[in-house]
Structure formats: structure tokens, C-alpha cells
Amino acid sequence: MDDSNGSNTPVHQDSRFTGKVAVVTGAAGGFGRAIARRLAREGAAVALADIDSSKGKRTTAQLAKRGSRVLFETVDVSQGDDLRRLMERTCGAFGGIDILVNNAGYCHRAKPLWELSEADYDRIFEVNVKSVYLGAVHGVPRLLERGGGVIVNTASIGAVRPRPRLTAYNATKGAVVTLTRGLASELAPHGIRVNAVNPVAADTDFMKGPSGGRPLGEKGREVLEATIPLGRLAEPEDVAAAVAYLASDDAAFLTGVCLDVDGGRSIG
């Protein structure tokens, strides 16, 4: 099977997430696939969820082939019944949930806000914002059953430094930041930490959204890289490493943190 990372690294049984169970939404590609791979490589059992069944099943099969404990569920994260089913199946297969990564996202085509259709506006808020609410509704009770846990949300550097023509998308990610910090305050007394990552752009299929279905291309890459002090786009593995850190006991005293994984764009 295809493996875009070209890695056959075995599961490390003595790693940070041995004995832990993680749920990762939007896990069929891009950041989500890298996050699922990283958590599985470090010992977690992982439930991968995505609306794209074929890619999600392929990624899950690759991880299973390496010896990871994994399952896949087809999920529309804007639908409460889908999130409920995902949590139920994960608990049935692995005994509970310790880590919830709300990563699934959607981006409209880049255009002025006043030209964005109402349908696109509604969809982007359903996928990017309502999904975090539904993740809490159906995931928090499962984390409480384990005596605590961790939620990591994927926001965006666009929440901090918004780009023109992506105003609605940036607004959804600003909402994710606020949800993250509010939930962190609410859940801290219950032993649940809530953090987020704010990635800069990466050359993944997600970028076809703002470009109207076209790959980023060399010119587009150069334009974006010129805004990033470290001189390159994010790699999915950069985001996966940050999520793994925030989800681990290495970050045991961090909650309400929205970590900029942006090569310095927020300060450039």
C-alpha cells in the first residue's frame, strides 16, 4: 500500500502513549493522518475518523500492518449521531478514550466574505466549530470515565494573523481558540486538559479548498513561504509532533494553550 511518509517504523511499546486510547478526526490525510501515525507509533490505540472512507481505510490498514491497534469509522463531524457512534465504537473496541483530537476541518474557496455563499458559510462553521462542541458532548463523558484525559483541537494561525479572502475560515478558527480556552477552564477541575495547535499553511490536499481544487503549485508556495520567517511551509509531521507533546504527560501542566506551529509567521 502507498505510504507517503515512506516509513515502516514499528510501534514502540515503551513510549509515551502505551496503554492510551486516542480518537483523531479528519484522519484520512494531511495533519490528521500524521497525528494518527505519530500517536500509534508511540503506542496508542487509535480510532481514525473521516468523511473520506477510502482514504481513511487505507491509512488505517497501513497502521494495522505495522502492528498498531487501530480502527476506522466514517464520520461527518457536524453530525452528533456520527460522533456518538464513533465514541461508542472506540470504547467498545479499546475500553475507553484518553485523548480526543478534534482535527477535522473544511475551508471555503478564497474570496471576499460578501461573495461567500450562505451554504458555504454554514458548512464551514458546522465542520470547524460545531464539531468541537459535538466532540465535547460525546467525548467528555468518555474521558471522565477514565478519570481525566486530554483534548487537542486543530485551530490555525489564521485565528491570530488572519489572511484576506479567508475571513469566514479565520473566524471559525478564532472560535476554536476561544472554545479551547473556555473548555480548559471548565474541565480543569475534572482532570481534563484542553489545548490547541495553530498551524501555518502546509502543502496538503486541504489547500485545494481555498484554491478551488487546484494544487498549491510552486508560485503559491513561494508566496506563502515569503510570509514565514523560517522560510518554509509546515509539514504534517510538525503538527503531529506538537499534538503529541500537548497530549502527553510532558505537557501535564499545560491547559488552555494554543500553540503556534507556524515557523514564526505570527511574529513576522
Side-chain angles (χ1 to χ4, degrees):
M1 293 181 179
D2 173 64
D3 184 344
S4 61
N5 278 359
S7 170
N8 290 306
T9 307
V11 175
H12 298 301
Q13 297 299 329
D14 59 346
S15 59
R16 291 185 290 185
F17 301 113
T18 297
K20 302 292 186 181
V21 179
V23 172
V24 182
T25 66
F31 295 158
R33 178 169 58 191
I35 292 165
R37 284 172 166 165
R38 179 67 180 250
L39 296 178
R41 192 172 75 233
E42 293 201 41
V46 182
L48 295 84
D50 205 284
I51 201 167
D52 189 327
S53 298
S54 60
K55 287 184 179 178
K57 289 176 180 178
R58 184 162 63 245
T59 296
T60 304
Q62 291 166 357
L63 291 174
K65 188 175 180 180
R66 299 178 197 170
S68 299
R69 298 176 64 209
V70 290
L71 63 82
F72 175 76
E73 186 76 17
T74 303
V75 166
D76 179 342
V77 293
S78 71
Q79 300 299 310
D81 284 346
D82 283 17
L83 269 296
R84 175 188 50 77
R85 186 179 68 250
L86 170 64
M87 305 304 173
E88 288 177 350
R89 186 178 174 209
T90 302
C91 290
F94 300 135
I97 299 170
D98 304 287
I99 300 163
L100 170 60
V101 182
N102 291 308
N103 170 76
Y106 167 73
C107 189
H108 58 83
R109 184 168 184 173
K111 62 178 62 178
L113 180 64
W114 59 91
E115 295 180 4
L116 187 68
S117 72
E118 186 174 352
D120 262 348
Y121 179 89
D122 287 343
R123 184 59 178 165
I124 198 168
F125 272 86
E126 287 175 350
V127 174
N128 294 357
V129 182
K130 186 181 179 183
S131 63
V132 177
Y133 155 72
L134 291 174
V137 168
H138 298 287
V140 167
R142 300 300 189 170
L143 296 174
L144 292 173
E145 290 172 357
R146 303 278 268 196
V150 183
I151 299 172
V152 183
N153 300 317
T154 299
S156 169
I157 203 60
V160 180
R161 292 284 302 275
R163 293 186 185 276
R165 298 169 59 83
L166 293 174
T167 298
Y169 173 78
N170 295 330
T172 66
K173 294 307 185 177
V176 172
V177 166
T178 302
L179 282 166
T180 296
R181 294 178 66 82
L183 260 180
S185 179
E186 288 185 348
L187 290 174
H190 302 283
I192 298 174
R193 296 187 298 106
V194 187
N195 295 300
V197 289
N198 291 336
V200 77
D203 192 0
T204 66
D205 283 346
F206 186 80
M207 291 300 292
K208 293 179 180 179
S211 68
R214 300 186 306 275
L216 182 59
E218 191 61 33
K219 183 177 180 180
R221 173 184 284 272
E222 290 175 359
V223 169
L224 291 174
E225 287 177 342
T227 70
I228 302 171
L230 286 184
R232 67 170 176 86
L233 303 183
E235 295 292 340
E237 290 73 21
D238 296 324
V239 178
V243 170
Y245 166 65
L246 291 172
S248 76
D249 289 341
D250 293 334
F253 201 53
L254 298 185
T255 197
V257 169
C258 299
L259 182 61
D260 298 341
V261 188
D262 69 340
R265 180 176 177 270
S266 59
I267 59 173

